[in-house]
Amino acid sequence: MSLRVRKPARAGKTGPRNGTAGAGGPGRRREPGVFGQLAVALRTPARAGEPLFARVPRPWQRVLPYAVMAVFVVTLLPVTIAVLTDDYGMGGGWAGALAVAQTVPLLLAVSRPVAAWATVLLADVAAAVLLTGAGGVSGLTWPWPPTVVVGYLALMVCLGLREPVRTLVQVWLVTGAAGVVLGFFPPAGVTNTVALLFVLSGSVLAVTGALRGLGDARQRIAEQESISEAERARRTLLEERARIARELHDVVAHHMSVITVQADSAPYRLPGMAEPVREEFAAIAASARESLGEMRRLLTVLRGDGTNGAGAGGADGERAPQPGIARIPQLVEATVRAGQPVELSLAAGLPGVPAPPAVDLSAYRIVQEALANVVRHAPGARTRVAVTYAAGDEEVLVLVVNGPGRDPVVEPEGSGTGHGLVGMRERVRLTGGTLDAGPLPEGGFRVAARLPLDSRTEDPS
């Protein structure tokens, strides 16, 4: 038997196209660009001893902080020597040594900003002390020349992006204290720059510290979201396993009821049975009845409402017979009525014996979940559903393929559990089969399940 049910797409309407969404779920997010990666790196706190931009993906991005600081060093080193010798009248030997101590540690600031700051501040203070005895200081800035201010601010950027707020406050206060102490012994006729460096360094530390604080907050939020996502996935898996267990309860209860009836009626159907055999059948019937009672208590626990199935939560639906492959045409027709064009190809029957209850129910639920995801993630997409029998492998094959979505549709009643591929995988694993699901190269999604007809199952743990 081949049932083909189609409903053409409605003209005059357009909707979002999604080439990788459908039977399995939504598509992937776009990766950030080069500047986006750098912005994320600026907001990402570095670990102790870890250089700035150490976690960016591209090698040239990881080298970028060193390159920037190298530019500062190459620029400030000769300028500092020239300023100290030509403007301030300091000796060439002292000027060269101080310039090296004030600029070269900037390269260390990329990975060890506190050590670099201590070295630079010590060299700046030493230079200020030596300049008090220089002859050409009058009329110039002191204790922090312009080159010192520029290098110090570059150092503050590295500190602010790496260190916690407490360290930044300490650095700022020590900088102000050093300037105040030097301010008690100023040379005559100089322009005091203590307040200038104190304000500028505090501003840079505040801005970069706030940027790092934003990165800390976002990192904590991301970690919390990751934990929440893991918990949500675990809860979804447990809910789906409980749902499958509730559905299989009816199947197992039916077989246990048949065993009970057969064991109780055996002495009447088979006259002349010996007394030990009668007692054995009676024991079998008693064990089966006890097992049925335990299963009812287990079902009450799985429902979790303490009312033996009554009340809210769709208990009436749980009392209804479980669906199977024979009800897939009704499911497809309901989806078509909701506006989703679907083509169904259904095998007339399985040779020999009907499909086992677990396989029968799993095939229906897989088609149900796949169609529900098509409606959610690829509305209006042409969809093909096929349920066939592989005679050579003794398997039921379930295939749901959809193209890119076009038109928005109304989700039909009785759609899937909302757990998508999680539920499909659990059902396939229950029957010992395999599941292949993923996007198609030309757009759309494909779900293919192979459900063996024998009794092979896997350990649910």
Side-chain angles (χ1 to χ4, degrees):
M1 178 184 69
S2 179
L3 175 64
R4 300 171 66 87
V5 189
R6 290 189 181 181
K7 184 171 182 179
R10 290 165 288 185
K13 290 188 177 183
T14 58
R17 295 181 179 267
N18 190 343
T20 59
R28 302 176 179 176
R29 294 181 179 178
R30 292 178 56 189
E31 294 293 333
V34 174
F35 294 104
Q37 292 172 353
L38 294 178
V40 172
L42 280 174
R43 297 193 303 265
T44 302
R47 301 187 184 95
E50 185 179 75
L52 291 172
F53 289 13
R55 305 182 196 179
V56 293
R58 293 179 172 84
W60 70 266
Q61 293 174 338
R62 293 192 288 270
V63 178
L64 186 60
Y66 290 100
V68 172
M69 285 302 172
V71 170
F72 273 98
V73 172
V74 172
T75 304
L76 289 177
L77 181 58
V79 173
T80 301
I81 296 175
V83 168
L84 291 179
T85 55
D86 297 341
D87 296 342
Y88 288 85
M90 183 180 288
W94 281 108
L98 290 174
V100 170
Q102 290 173 337
T103 58
V104 173
L106 294 179
L107 292 173
L108 181 63
V110 176
S111 58
R112 299 287 192 278
V114 175
W117 165 76
T119 304
V120 170
L121 181 62
L122 182 62
D124 292 343
V125 171
V129 172
L130 291 177
L131 288 177
T132 56
V137 182
S138 180
L140 301 176
T141 57
W142 185 91
W144 317 125
T147 54
V148 169
V149 174
V150 173
Y152 203 81
L153 294 181
L155 181 58
M156 294 298 101
V157 172
C158 295
L159 267 169
L161 293 176
R162 283 293 311 278
E163 300 302 323
V165 175
R166 181 178 180 180
T167 302
L168 302 185
V169 173
Q170 292 174 348
V171 166
W172 185 53
L173 293 178
V174 171
T175 300
V180 169
V181 172
L182 290 173
F184 286 111
F185 312 99
V190 297
T191 301
N192 195 301
T193 55
V194 171
L196 175 66
L197 184 62
F198 186 68
V199 172
L200 290 179
S201 62
S203 301
V204 173
L205 288 176
V207 172
T208 54
L211 189 63
R212 184 186 188 278
L214 177 63
D216 284 336
R218 292 193 175 187
Q219 188 176 49
R220 287 193 294 269
I221 292 174
E223 292 173 353
Q224 188 61 42
E225 288 179 349
S226 177
I227 295 174
S228 300
E229 185 65 28
E231 288 296 325
R232 185 160 48 248
R234 180 176 177 272
R235 185 172 63 251
T236 298
L237 179 62
L238 294 178
E239 289 175 357
E240 188 64 17
R241 286 181 175 178
R243 173 185 171 87
I244 295 173
R246 290 195 300 267
E247 293 177 349
L248 290 179
H249 165 270
D250 293 340
V251 176
V252 180
H254 168 73
H255 291 299
M256 294 299 298
S257 299
V258 171
I259 294 173
T260 304
V261 172
Q262 288 178 336
D264 280 333
S265 63
Y268 305 98
R269 291 183 292 104
L270 303 173
M273 187 179 296
E275 186 62 26
V277 179
R278 288 175 177 268
E279 293 177 358
E280 186 70 22
F281 275 111
I284 293 174
S287 298
R289 280 192 291 269
E290 183 179 353
S291 299
L292 280 173
E294 294 295 336
M295 287 182 58
R296 292 190 186 99
R297 284 188 284 273
L298 173 62
L299 183 62
T300 301
V301 173
L302 291 175
R303 283 173 177 162
D305 52 17
T307 58
N308 294 327
D316 292 338
E318 292 187 0
R319 295 192 188 101
Q322 296 296 346
I325 296 176
R327 289 183 56 183
I328 290 179
Q330 302 175 17
L331 178 64
V332 171
E333 289 176 2
T335 306
V336 171
R337 285 196 300 270
Q340 189 77 28
V342 181
E343 174 186 344
L344 174 64
S345 177
L346 188 62
L350 302 178
V353 296
V359 173
D360 200 34
L361 175 61
S362 296
Y364 177 88
R365 293 302 187 193
I366 289 172
V367 173
Q368 183 184 36
E369 289 289 355
L371 290 179
N373 283 332
V374 171
V375 172
R376 292 189 193 101
H377 305 299
R382 291 196 173 276
T383 306
R384 181 167 60 92
V385 178
V387 181
T388 57
Y389 170 69
D393 298 327
E394 296 292 324
E395 293 177 328
V396 174
L397 307 180
V398 180
L399 177 66
V400 182
V401 180
N402 67 273
R406 292 191 300 274
D407 300 328
V409 297
V410 178
E411 188 167 343
E413 295 183 1
S415 59
T417 64
H419 296 163
L421 290 177
V422 175
M424 296 182 198
R425 290 194 179 98
E426 283 299 303
R427 294 182 186 279
V428 169
R429 192 160 69 104
L430 172 71
T431 61
T434 59
L435 178 70
D436 179 20
L440 299 173
E442 65 275 11
F445 208 90
R446 174 179 179 267
V447 171
R450 305 175 69 92
L451 308 175
L453 295 179
D454 57 23
S455 59
R456 290 175 298 172
T457 58
E458 294 186 2
D459 185 0
S461 62

